[in-house]
Amino acid sequence: MEWKVLDSTYVLYHRWMKVRRDTCLLPNGEVIDDYFWVESPDNTLVVALTPAAEVLLVRQYKPAAQRVLIEFPGGVVDPGEDPLAGAQRELREETGFGGGEWQSLGTFWADPSKKSAQSHLFLAQGVTLIAQPRRDATEEIQLLYRPWLELVADSCAIQVSSSVVALTLAQRYLHHAP
């Protein structure tokens, strides 16, 4: 059932993304000589709620989509960094919020046929403003606060698939939490 990689060449090698061209032997004996896929770092996403049950969202331009989208805060897990530590760092950098109680919502593949990155989703309850945001030069972020129940009622405001998954899992967790 598994494919055997006979040869592998990087056609793009950059610190944020590596594109590989593999020659693969399939279980049925067929050889694919141009299977392309992307190696990229894992990422995190945080459904962060304040003590007042407001959800933190970020509104920013996404170049591949060529539009401004609303999603949960998050970003890349640095090499050797624990995903929870990466999520806490990203939340602090993008929003200035931190602390609270954290739970994992799971780890998921966004596109396992073409991308190696996994998304680590977290729920953080009771986060408070602890610092000024320290955003990357490419991040023009507008921080939004939405009441939890309003966001759940209008979940179509979020059009980024990983954020939709995170919202769904957070709803299930919060609905079943003691």
Side-chain angles (χ1 to χ4, degrees):
M1 181 163 252
E2 293 185 19
W3 294 11
K4 181 178 181 185
V5 177
L6 303 175
D7 186 46
S8 186
T9 305
Y10 287 102
V11 295
L12 172 68
Y13 194 92
H14 186 271
R15 72 179 181 144
W16 296 114
M17 179 190 323
K18 297 164 186 66
V19 178
R20 280 181 40 179
R21 178 183 176 262
D22 287 354
T23 301
C24 301
L25 174 64
L26 304 184
N28 67 5
E30 184 179 344
V31 174
I32 298 176
D33 65 356
D34 59 352
Y35 191 82
F36 292 89
W37 63 280
V38 176
E39 284 184 27
S40 55
D42 284 1
N43 57 75
T44 66
L45 205 62
V46 183
V47 179
L49 286 94
T50 67
E54 289 182 309
V55 183
L56 304 179
L57 297 162
V58 292
R59 184 177 184 271
Q60 63 182 325
Y61 181 76
K62 295 296 184 174
Q66 298 181 359
R67 65 184 56 195
V68 174
L69 296 170
I70 296 170
E71 63 186 339
F72 292 115
V76 171
V77 177
D78 289 338
E81 185 177 39
D82 176 74
L84 174 59
Q88 292 169 332
R89 175 186 50 76
E90 284 289 342
L91 181 67
R92 188 176 56 257
E93 288 175 0
E94 289 189 356
T95 70
F97 280 74
E101 295 182 31
W102 290 69
Q103 292 86 30
S104 173
L105 295 173
T107 299
F108 301 89
W109 299 93
D111 183 4
S113 292
K114 296 291 181 185
K115 296 179 183 171
S116 65
Q118 290 183 298
S119 295
H120 304 273
L121 310 181
F122 294 93
L123 172 63
Q125 298 181 76
V127 298
T128 57
L129 187 63
I130 59 171
Q132 288 297 313
R134 294 180 51 204
R135 300 176 181 139
D136 293 337
T138 60
E139 293 178 320
E140 289 288 330
I141 293 174
Q142 178 186 7
L143 181 59
L144 305 175
Y145 301 83
R146 294 279 301 271
W148 172 253
L149 293 176
E150 180 183 305
L151 179 64
V152 169
D154 182 24
S155 59
C156 290
I158 297 174
Q159 295 179 313
V160 179
S161 62
S162 55
S163 286
V164 172
V165 170
L167 176 63
T168 302
L169 294 171
Q171 277 182 268
R172 292 172 71 194
Y173 180 86
L174 292 170
H175 180 70
H176 293 96

